[in-house]
Amino acid sequence: MLLMGSVVPLKKSANSAYLELKNLLNEKLQNVESLILQKLKSDVNLIEKMSNHHLSSGGKRLRALLTLGSAKLTGYKENGRDINLAACVELIHSATLLHDDVIDESKLRRGSQTTNSIWGNQSPILVGDYLLSRCFEMMVEDGDLEVLKLLSSTSSKIAQGEVLQLQHKGEADLLEETYIDIINLKTASLFSAATKTGACLSGSNEKEKKALESYGRNLGLAFQIADDALDFYAKEKLFGKEIGKDFFEGKVTLPMIIIFQKGNKEEKNFLNEIMKKEKRTEQDFSNTLSLINKYKAVEATFKKAEYFVNVSYDALAIFPDTEEPFKAEVRNIKNSVNYPQIIEPMETSYRLTISNKNVSGMIGKITAIIAEEGLNIIDMKNRSRDDIAYNVIDLDSEPSTKSI
């Protein structure tokens, strides 16, 4: 979803990176979409209706693209299994979103009403279970025990991550290590499984599997960390979701951890008190935002995301240059993409810049999407938070243009 108050130079770059990637795998991605719709057909009308509503809310199918791209990178040339397993990865993701929206009592997902806000909480949980069951049927049909073990264990990790997050709800003094454990389980594990599945399809050696597994995991960590930063960063109309949502739900994410680490005794007492509340107020959020700005927690959070993206680049170093353009281009990713960095820190907002020169290769374009869109491009030009000009693309939404 692209919304902009004024035209900034990065619009074409961010849009074209995604569109070029999608065009490279467009036929396969269409087959993935068709297979998902086919597998979700049911004699129970409500299941099909709710599934269609959820899937039609948008999404780039990034995890499916990671599976398809990794399979191509490692030499998979057949047609069929990559589509089937990319669909499985997307079904797992969709099922977890349905469950998450119920747990979090979310009303919006990518700018559209969530299934639970329309049909209540019971049906979405059961439909999420239905998506998972269809996914497991497809994995059994595929017949690869390694992939079956990988994706089934990933489903277990995602659930464990969600429970671990609930276990630590409201802990203002949450350790950063525990936070990383949570997002590694609930988010990065599926990115990692998506990329490793592609390697499994082509019969890659263990080194290549581990490299792509590392690539996906670190990319997933970067995405979640950046997404957590945005909870303190923009307005609902720009991202199609409720800003401050994690805070009001009592979830402690990296920006909160940073201000607790840097805060004085009085500030730490304040954070402890508000996070122990059953409900937090708008004034609580405003006071917390003041601390976020005081300690430049958004900047520090993006820097942490940048670290994990750089680690993900390094994981691709084992893939040698060859005559095949795809592999040769992937080898140069870490030298061709400059990660967004925050400069000119200000009291209420920040100026971000990104250079995206000569980005090529399918996996490279996926990385560029994470870098440009997961972290978002925001050009504030010395304006306040309320009248800032944005060039924003939501990682989980198709690009479109609207005026603020």
Side-chain angles (χ1 to χ4, degrees):
M1 176 178 57
L2 175 62
L3 301 96
M4 37 185 281
S6 63
V7 177
V8 293
L10 296 171
K11 173 179 176 287
K12 182 177 180 181
S13 174
N15 248 334
S16 62
Y18 168 68
L19 293 175
E20 189 172 353
L21 169 65
K22 185 179 178 182
N23 288 337
L24 285 169
L25 287 169
N26 190 50
E27 184 178 349
K28 284 183 178 290
L29 199 57
Q30 286 183 1
N31 289 337
V32 170
E33 293 283 354
S34 297
L35 182 59
I36 289 174
L37 292 174
Q38 176 189 329
K39 293 296 182 179
L40 294 184
K41 287 187 179 298
S42 170
D43 292 333
V44 180
N45 292 334
L46 185 58
I47 290 178
E48 200 163 335
K49 190 174 183 179
M50 292 176 66
S51 298
N52 288 339
H53 172 81
H54 179 68
L55 293 170
S56 66
S57 65
K60 282 195 171 67
R61 306 295 183 250
L62 180 65
R63 293 151 190 83
L65 286 172
L66 282 169
T67 300
L68 296 171
S70 297
K72 184 170 178 61
L73 170 62
T74 51
Y76 180 75
K77 298 185 184 301
E78 298 175 28
N79 191 32
R81 291 188 63 210
D82 56 342
I83 293 167
N84 187 65
L85 293 176
C88 285
V89 169
E90 279 299 324
L91 283 175
I92 292 173
H93 178 54
S94 294
T96 60
L97 294 184
L98 284 168
H99 289 164
D100 287 352
D101 287 342
V102 171
I103 294 169
D104 299 338
E105 299 180 354
S106 300
K107 296 180 180 179
L108 289 175
R109 168 73 61 182
R110 302 167 187 148
S112 300
Q113 279 187 281
T114 56
T115 55
N116 53 292
S117 69
I118 299 173
W119 288 283
N121 289 336
Q122 294 180 337
S123 297
I125 290 290
L126 296 173
V127 171
D129 292 344
Y130 176 74
L131 265 60
L132 285 174
S133 66
R134 294 298 281 158
C135 168
F136 279 93
E137 287 179 2
M138 293 163 67
M139 286 190 284
V140 170
E141 289 171 4
D142 179 76
D144 189 322
L145 290 179
E146 181 180 15
V147 172
L148 177 59
K149 182 178 180 180
L150 172 62
L151 293 181
S152 59
S153 66
T154 298
S155 299
S156 172
K157 288 176 182 177
I158 294 170
Q160 290 178 71
E162 292 292 346
V163 174
L164 185 61
Q165 183 168 258
L166 287 173
Q167 180 180 319
H168 291 280
K169 182 179 179 180
E171 288 185 15
D173 60 348
L174 182 70
L175 295 176
E176 186 174 331
E177 181 180 4
T178 304
Y179 165 76
I180 295 297
D181 287 342
I182 290 170
I183 65 173
N184 184 48
L185 289 168
K186 63 175 277 191
T187 301
S189 61
L190 188 55
F191 276 76
S192 176
T195 48
K196 186 176 180 181
T197 295
C200 292
L201 278 168
S202 58
S204 299
N205 59 45
E206 286 304 312
K207 183 179 287 188
E208 289 184 338
K209 289 178 185 177
K210 288 181 179 179
L212 283 168
E213 185 177 27
S214 174
Y215 173 79
R217 180 176 62 255
N218 286 289
L219 209 54
L221 289 171
F223 168 60
Q224 186 60 61
I225 290 169
D227 192 63
D228 289 342
L230 295 174
D231 197 53
F232 296 93
Y233 203 65
K235 291 188 175 294
E236 179 177 326
K237 62 182 178 182
L238 292 171
F239 296 98
K241 59 183 178 183
E242 302 140 286
I243 303 306
K245 187 170 178 298
D246 290 342
F247 172 83
F248 289 111
E249 290 172 359
K251 294 179 182 176
V252 177
T253 55
L254 190 54
M256 290 284 292
I257 292 170
I258 289 169
I259 61 174
F260 189 88
Q261 290 171 343
K262 295 183 177 181
N264 58 37
K265 184 177 180 180
E266 182 181 349
E267 290 165 342
K268 287 181 178 179
N269 287 337
F270 162 74
L271 292 171
N272 275 320
E273 288 174 8
I274 63 168
M275 295 312 292
K276 286 178 182 177
K277 288 183 178 180
E278 185 174 342
K279 290 186 178 181
R280 280 145 293 282
T281 67
E282 290 290 343
Q283 187 60 51
D284 291 334
F285 185 58
S286 178
N287 292 338
T288 302
L289 278 178
S290 295
L291 295 177
I292 293 286
N293 292 325
K294 175 182 177 180
Y295 293 111
K296 300 176 183 177
V298 169
E299 291 175 296
T301 301
F302 281 137
K303 281 291 185 183
K304 180 66 74 171
E306 177 184 3
Y307 164 78
F308 284 112
V309 165
N310 288 333
V311 174
S312 74
Y313 293 160
D314 291 341
L316 296 175
I318 72 159
F319 294 98
D321 294 336
T322 70
E323 293 182 359
E324 183 184 343
F326 178 73
K327 289 189 177 181
E329 290 161 354
V330 167
R331 178 66 180 82
N332 296 319
I333 290 170
K334 61 180 179 293
N335 299 320
S336 62
V337 180
N338 292 322
Y339 201 74
Q341 297 191 12
I342 299 175
I343 60 174
E344 301 176 20
M346 301 183 181
E347 183 177 353
T348 58
S349 49
Y350 311 94
R351 176 183 174 86
L352 283 73
T353 60
I354 182 172
S355 172
N356 182 31
K357 298 178 181 178
N358 302 318
V359 178
S360 57
M362 204 167 306
I363 297 291
K365 289 180 177 62
I366 293 173
T367 308
I369 289 171
I370 292 285
E372 293 186 15
E373 303 174 31
L375 293 186
N376 297 274
I377 314 304
I378 303 177
D379 189 353
M380 72 152 291
K381 301 183 187 300
N382 297 316
R383 286 186 253 181
S384 71
R385 193 181 185 90
D386 291 334
D387 65 358
I388 191 170
Y390 289 91
N391 176 20
V392 179
I393 295 183
D394 182 350
L395 180 62
D396 281 325
S397 297
E398 291 277 6
S400 61
T401 304
K402 297 181 182 179
S403 297
I404 294 175

